[in-house]
């Protein structure tokens, strides 16, 4: 079975979908290494910017052999997947897709180019990992759909009132494009993977898709967190790396962490407003913002400029994915009252690292009695609700947090679990297509 994995295009750092795409690459390599299924061959299609140097270094050291190519239509995957003179066999091909000046132009180019590559590479099953599929693909296709936001944006009532029914032409065109893409996609794909039941229900409702051909596979913590928990078994080494991280970022433990984003779903303006509405005695901790773009940074700086003491907030520069667990670990409270979230990756990651979390209601967090005292839910559209949850979280943080032990990584779900379950979907899809 030859499986193609289209990794998609990602704006900026790519957020949770890029984390998922990179985890697919790394975990599928590990799966082939552990599970000696020689009949499985993988072809990845993605922009080179998605393959960070650390990821490529890891792949170079993997026992599973791979080759990397650009877009060469004279080169087919069959010439790569052959037994070498020493008896070893290349099992993975990575095709780097071209990158232009615009993400949207790249998306359109992929719709034309990838189907040709799929035919040339003789792929049996295609997995499109970033919300949308390749509509002209002739292989049996699996699509991971994280949400339908691009076509059906989830907007707050306040935002709708502010717009007064007026939508910018570019926004309207984007919505029309994705609605048409999704409508065509759900008529053609063999199977859909989602990370929460709410998205599965929305796909069925809007596009009359067969619920029997949807698998809900929750995400988990990626390899950065596995490394972090493993490091915790060596307390001396862990304390040294943690102290170095704090010094490098000029931080002290016990700050309040906010993810600053220009994406309306992330609810940044109302989140910062809730922080500013607190009595000054409750704002005695540093507010740390992890900004995902220059636009988000500028908006946060404008809103926080009214704070009397400039030193009580700090915007962090870009940091590697491997540093994220340290960012969570040293936070007293992580504030993520997003308007719309599927799996709720930031909240899940923060809770795994022992932080107190203020979050909107998410499917993955519902009914988790084990999180009492560490998870404070709020209504993300109501400023008063966010503020009340934040006050309770700060009071709990002042009492001293109940951390998870660093060596309890086995108690949480990992991205490797999600990839293993997705790998099983490939087999089922291939069997169904062969009938």
């Amino acid at each position: 079975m030859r499986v193609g994995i289209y990794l998609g295009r990602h704006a900026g750092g790519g957020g949770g979908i890029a984390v998922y795409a990179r985890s697919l690459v790394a975990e599928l390599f590990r799966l082939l290494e552990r599970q000696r299924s020689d009949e499985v061959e993988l072809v990845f299609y993605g922009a080179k910017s998605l393959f960070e140097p650390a990821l490529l270094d890891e792949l170079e050291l993997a026992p599973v052999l791979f080759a990397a190519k650009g877009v060469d239509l004279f080169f087919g995957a069959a010439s790569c997947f052959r037994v070498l003179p020493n008896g070893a066999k290349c099992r993975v091909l990575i095709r780097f897709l071209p990158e232009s000046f615009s993400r949207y132009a790249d998306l359109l180019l992929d719709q034309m180019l990838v189907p040709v590559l799929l035919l040339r590479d003789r792929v049996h099953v295609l997995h499109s990992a970033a919300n949308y599929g390749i509509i002209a693909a002739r292989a049996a296709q699996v699509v991971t759909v994280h949400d339908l936001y691009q076509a059906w944006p989830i907007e707050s009532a306040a935002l709708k009132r502010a717009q007064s029914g007026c939508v910018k032409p570019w926004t309207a065109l984007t919505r029309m494009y994705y609605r048409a893409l999704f409508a065509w996609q759900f008529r053609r794909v063999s199977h859909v993977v989602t990370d929460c039941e709410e998205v599965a229900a929305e796909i069925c409702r809007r596009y009359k898709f067969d619920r029997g051909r949807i698998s809900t596979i929750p995400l988990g913590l990626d390899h950065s967190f596995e490394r972090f928990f493993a490091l915790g078994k060596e307390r001396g080494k862990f304390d040294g790396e943690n102290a170095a991280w704090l010094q490098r970022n000029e931080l002290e433990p016990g700050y309040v962490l906010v993810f600053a984003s220009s994406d309306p779903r992330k609810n940044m303006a109302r989140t910062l407003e809730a922080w500013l509405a607190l009595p000054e005695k409750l704002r005695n901790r540093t507010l740390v913002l992890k900004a995902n773009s220059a636009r988000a940074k500028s908006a946060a700086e404008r809103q926080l400029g009214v704070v009397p003491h400039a030193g009580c907030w700090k915007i962090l520069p870009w940091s590697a994915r491997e540093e994220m667990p340290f960012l969570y670990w040293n936070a007293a409270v992580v504030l993520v009252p997003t308007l719309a979230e599927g799996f709720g990756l930031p909240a899940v990651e923060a809770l795994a690292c022992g932080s107190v979390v203020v979050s909107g209601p998410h499917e993955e967090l519902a009914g988790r009695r084990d999180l009492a005292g560490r998870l404070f839910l709020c209504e993300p559209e109501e400023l008063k609700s966010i503020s009340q949850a934040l006050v309770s979280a700060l009071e709990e943080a002042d009492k001293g947090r109940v951390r998870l032990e660093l060596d309890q990584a086995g108690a949480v779900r990992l991205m490797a679990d999600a990839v293993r379950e997705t790998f099983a979907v490939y087999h089922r899809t291939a069997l169904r297509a062969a009938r």
Side-chain angles (χ1 to χ4, degrees), residues 254-317:
Y255 49 79
V256 175
L257 176 62
V258 170
F259 289 89
S261 171
S262 54
D263 186 332
R265 289 173 293 178
K266 303 307 179 184
N267 208 18
M268 183 181 75
R270 192 178 285 110
T271 300
L272 296 183
E273 190 177 350
W275 169 259
L276 294 173
L278 294 179
E280 190 168 347
K281 65 179 182 180
L282 289 179
R283 285 192 277 111
N284 58 352
R285 296 176 182 271
T286 301
L287 181 69
V288 173
L289 290 93
K290 186 76 174 65
N292 73 339
S293 66
R295 182 181 170 189
K297 180 180 176 182
S298 299
E301 287 174 338
R302 286 195 300 273
Q303 191 168 355
L304 291 171
V306 300
V307 180
H309 307 292
C312 65
W313 58 272
K314 177 181 177 65
I315 296 180
L316 286 184

Side-chain angles (χ1 to χ4, degrees), residues 60-133:
E60 286 282 359
L61 297 174
V64 177
L65 300 181
F66 79 97
K69 277 277 184 181
V71 177
D72 181 354
L73 297 179
F74 295 100
F75 173 85
S79 59
C80 169
F81 298 131
R82 63 183 189 279
V83 178
L84 302 176
N86 63 358
K89 182 185 178 184
C90 184
R91 311 269 304 287
V92 179
L93 170 64
I94 299 175
R95 278 195 181 273
F96 296 125
L97 299 176
E99 296 180 81
S100 69
F101 59 90
S102 165
R103 172 172 169 259
Y104 289 104
D106 290 337
L107 288 174
L108 290 172
L109 177 63
D110 290 348
Q111 293 294 338
M112 295 182 287
L113 179 61
V114 175
V116 179
L117 294 174
L118 294 172
L119 285 173
R120 191 73 184 87
D121 293 336
R122 299 179 183 176
V123 166
H124 305 118
V125 175
L126 172 66
H127 178 198
S128 297
N131 236 29
Y132 47 84

Side-chain angles (χ1 to χ4, degrees), residues 256-260 266 270-275 278 287-288 331-338 346 350 356-360 376 378 386-387 389-390 393:
V256 175
L257 176 62
V258 170
F259 289 89
K266 303 307 179 184
R270 192 178 285 110
T271 300
L272 296 183
E273 190 177 350
W275 169 259
L278 294 179
L287 181 69
V288 173
V333 175
V334 178
L335 185 54
V336 283
T338 52
V356 176
V357 173
V358 174
S359 170
F376 296 86
C378 66
I386 300 173
S387 295
L390 181 53

Side-chain angles (χ1 to χ4, degrees), residues 125 140-142 189-192 212-215 424-435:
V125 175
Q141 187 169 186
V142 178
V189 299
S190 301
H191 203 88
V192 169
R213 292 192 289 130
I214 301 180
S215 297
V425 171
Y426 300 162
H427 281 280
R428 294 201 298 272
T429 304
L431 287 172
R432 194 184 306 122
R435 289 172 185 170

